[in-house]
Amino acid sequence: MAWRRSTRWGAGIGIPALLIAIIIGLWNWDWFIPVVESRASAAVGRPVTVDHLHVRLGRTVRITADGVAIANPTGWHGPSLANVAKLAVAADLWDYIRHGTLVLPEIDLKDPVLRLVQMPNGDENYKLDLASESSGSTMKIGDLRIEGGNIRTQLAKLKADFVINVETRQTGDAANPAQVVADLHGTYGGAPVSGKATGGALLSLRDPSRPWPIDLQLANGPTHLALSGTLNDPLHLIGAALKFRVAGNDVGQLEKLVGFPIPKTPPFRLTGALDFGDKQIRLHDFAGKLGSSDLEGTITVDVHKEKPEIMAELQSRSVDLADLGGFIGAAPGRITTPGQTEQQRKEIAQAEAKPNLLPEKPIRIPRLQWADLHIRYRGHSIQGRSVPLDNMVAVLDVVNGQGRLHPLSFGVGSGQIKATVLLAPRDNLLHAKGDIDFQRISVSRLMAATHLFHGAGTISGSAEIDAVGNSVGAMLGNGNGGVRLGMVGGDLSSLLVDLSGLQFGNALLSALGVPSRTQVECFIGDAALRQGKLQLQALVVDTGSSIVNGSGMIDLKDEKLDLQLRTDAKHFSIGSLPAPINVSGTFKKPAIVPGAEAAARGGLAAGLGVVFPPLAILPTIQFGVGEDHRCDRILAQAKREPGGQRLPPPKPRESAR
């Protein structure tokens, strides 16, 4: 009996043990591959395949998958999106049983390869339909180790083809035991790109309590960027302590790196700080040079909205307006601007050689649709002895593609030129509607820019324009509107007035300093703009000694001048020739010649340009007249109708270039 019980007990134990031994001997973890592939495919929204699966049991379970691959989208040809030669994951099973928390102390990737491709038609292989995480799931990840990582990126629209090699290293530092190291090489935006980056352990990115160190050096063509510091929870754009340094030939080249539109500029260099907070990226306390101008301020990019919102507070203590030419489609900077490349000098020289003065580079309308912009800029001092402007303020808001400059203002002595401009896309063109106020413009400041003449008093007036086009030149070339200017009292250099009347004797005496000024009683200028043609309706200057009348037209479309000026002396003067002066030619090359009567009466006209070269600036000086009753009448009319007559909508015109 005892023997039988022992036999039964041995069979009861031995048979299951034998079965377990047989199962263990025959067990193949590859049987679970279909389950693993199904769960992984559902998680990433793409077919996932595994060649082999191995499991080592224990309190910490170690799972190893060989030959893991994530497929491309359906119909996509070429290598898979991702391949991993070996993926090993350690999981704390006991912690999961006790607390329901999945703890992964280690994840090892051997020879992971990621291929990111964008086709010329915009199709991409890297957009995954990731399943949302369960709100009740809890996961803690420890260390991630990468060996021989390789990311190949080919983006047709960005003209990018580069490779990033990634791996992790053990540092032996208890505070930062591992770091990720990456190097990049290839092309981006059609230009060579290279870079190196060192950061903390990758998976510590998920731990907000551990600042993540980063040190990045990047070069894309002539643009160089350096970034160093620490990040707190960068996956959620919260917290950062970073310093940046960026320099290059053109800020516009950063458009390829940052992803939003930037106008062309001269060479630049900037240093400052960068931080994250409430899903905002902020460049702050930056300062540096932009061409011949200094620049400092703060730029904030709000990325949590459907359309990015960019806010900029900028200022320059000293600004060269040529450095801002890219904002209106002109070649920025000058040939003499520090750091200009040979190509930039060539572009400026080509722009100067063109017969046109007004910018004709088409404005890229989609730039206005890309983001909402709020830009505040102040230039405290404008460079240039020949520029009669002292300072500037520009406030630009673009919301849903509709732009508003309010204001764009320039200080001129104690006065200012202040404009409000509305910008609205119309098909592939831009509709601009602006009002300009000339508020007590200092004649002294204007005359000081000539370095030859003097004056006193102030000019006031208003102007408006309504135009459609795809460039600044095209809009002015078809615009409607008008301009009215007036001045009462003050004085001018008598040399200027005498030259306009070809009073050679008085001009010579004035050049010797006797007399030095002539009193201005009144000046009125009134012109109507119709389809790009600015027609003088009144131009009257009454000085203490002369009356100047002007007529003619300025063609903004073809940039041509056709003006006539006639000065009549109020008293006899030696050499006075009361004949008209004709102003013709183009904006870049004006021609100023006496009328036929003056040429016939005296041969001194040909020598005038040699003796008094400043005569060439006459078209830009429009001051003066006084006691003539016509002046009073025009002034009264301007006060009654300050807005002027509204004209029909302009006919759109696209730039020829």
Side-chain angles (χ1 to χ4, degrees), residues 281-297:
I281 303 173
R282 194 165 70 106
L283 304 175
H284 61 96
D285 298 329
F286 66 77
K289 296 286 289 186
L290 182 72
S292 300
S293 309
D294 62 83
L295 183 67
E296 58 187 61

Side-chain angles (χ1 to χ4, degrees), residues 204-286:
S204 65
L205 287 170
R206 301 176 62 94
D207 187 355
S209 65
R210 297 176 59 187
W212 193 73
I214 177 67
D215 188 352
L216 170 68
Q217 305 286 331
L218 185 67
N220 183 208
T223 304
H224 294 261
L225 171 68
L227 192 67
S228 62
T230 60
L231 305 175
N232 296 327
D233 197 10
L235 297 182
H236 297 91
L237 291 182
I238 299 175
L242 296 169
K243 298 293 184 182
F244 74 87
R245 182 176 69 255
V246 59
N249 295 336
D250 177 5
V251 177
Q253 293 176 340
L254 290 178
E255 179 175 329
K256 298 173 294 186
L257 294 175
V258 301
F260 56 81
I262 304 175
K264 295 183 67 174
T265 72
F268 70 99
R269 64 178 187 276
L270 296 172
T271 59
L274 182 151
D275 64 34
F276 305 146
D278 193 23
K279 294 189 177 180
Q280 290 185 341
I281 303 173
R282 194 165 70 106
L283 304 175
H284 61 96
D285 298 329
F286 66 77

